[in-house]
Amino acid sequence: MLKSTELSTNNLLGIKDLTPDDIHLIFYWTKQFKEIINRPIKKVPSLRDITIANLFFENSTRTRLSFELAEKRLSADVINFAASSSSLSKGESLVDTIKNILAMKVDLVVLRHPEPGSAKFLSKHIDAQIINAGDGTHEHPTQALLDAFSIQEKLNDLKNKKIVIIGDISHSRVAISNIYCLQKLGAKVAVCGPQSLMPRNIYSLNVEVFDDVIKALEWADVANILRVQHERMDRSYFPSIREYHMRYGITMEKMLSLNEIPLIMHPGPINRGVELSSEVADSKYSIILDQVQNGVAVRMSVLYLLASKSKNVQ
Ligand code: CP
């Protein structure tokens, strides 16, 4: 039974700002939209006459395509901006770039930016609603929502389910958003990885911390595997990729040594043979492509609910 029919927030800047009721409402609409996008006619008129700008100042495959598809399935008008082909290289500031885009009468902005806090910063300078599509090491809320929805779909309920996040925790916005989201839904969360890749404040996040990957996998119902984020590192955090793979890489040999094998997730992009072997990534234990499919419906739900707060959507 849903306790609310609208979100408590006008923007989606981070999972930290959402209530458990907000997340249940997003999941309710995700289910409706998932049913619609599996029909022969996948498009609905809900966001007709709403204009959305996808502003990507950092590379993306899944998030950018998933938002664009979600917007088109909802019949929104869509414009796309990629920093690499923009006038930023001519010295234009972020706020000037975005104010120029908004002068074209944009209602909603989807922002990916390498700077933590950029979505919140922007929300103070512009009138359009904002969805954070990943801001540096801070948050990636729609990824956490699609991850939690995918787990709920497989395990029915998240309450007291055990999810371990394995890999580079300290550089990962996915880890932080997942911890907030899963805990708000009553799950137990653990992290596992080299000590050099753990945030200093990890114990304040109310998570269990494993160093031994086999013990972590043995504990978990679900393991969400993260890539080592070399692009956010200014030095080496472990001796070699080979050693990382031996200690923390998820292989079929490690999986088959367990009493019970957990579901395997990965937000992508995967570095096959580093954090995850191809054999596991493509196995029956992996729900990685379910995550990608659910990403479109989750983003449709978030877009619909946010737009509903400011306009009469159809
Ligand atoms: N999971 C994720 O954010 O992937 P992209 O960087 O390809 O968008």
Side-chain angles (χ1 to χ4, degrees), residues 56 59-64 112 133 140 143 173-174 267-269:
F56 279 70
N59 292 345
S60 167
T61 301
R62 278 146 294 271
T63 311
R64 186 172 56 80
R112 170 166 288 194
H140 192 349
Q143 180 68 47
R173 55 196 175 209
V174 173

Side-chain angles (χ1 to χ4, degrees), residues 256-283:
L256 294 176
S257 74
L258 305 170
N259 289 315
E260 268 192 62
I261 298 182
L263 291 176
I264 296 293
M265 303 175 70
H266 194 303
I270 304 173
N271 287 165
R272 286 173 183 256
V274 182
E275 71 273 12
L276 192 59
S277 73
S278 280
E279 212 184 349
V280 178
D282 303 329
S283 72

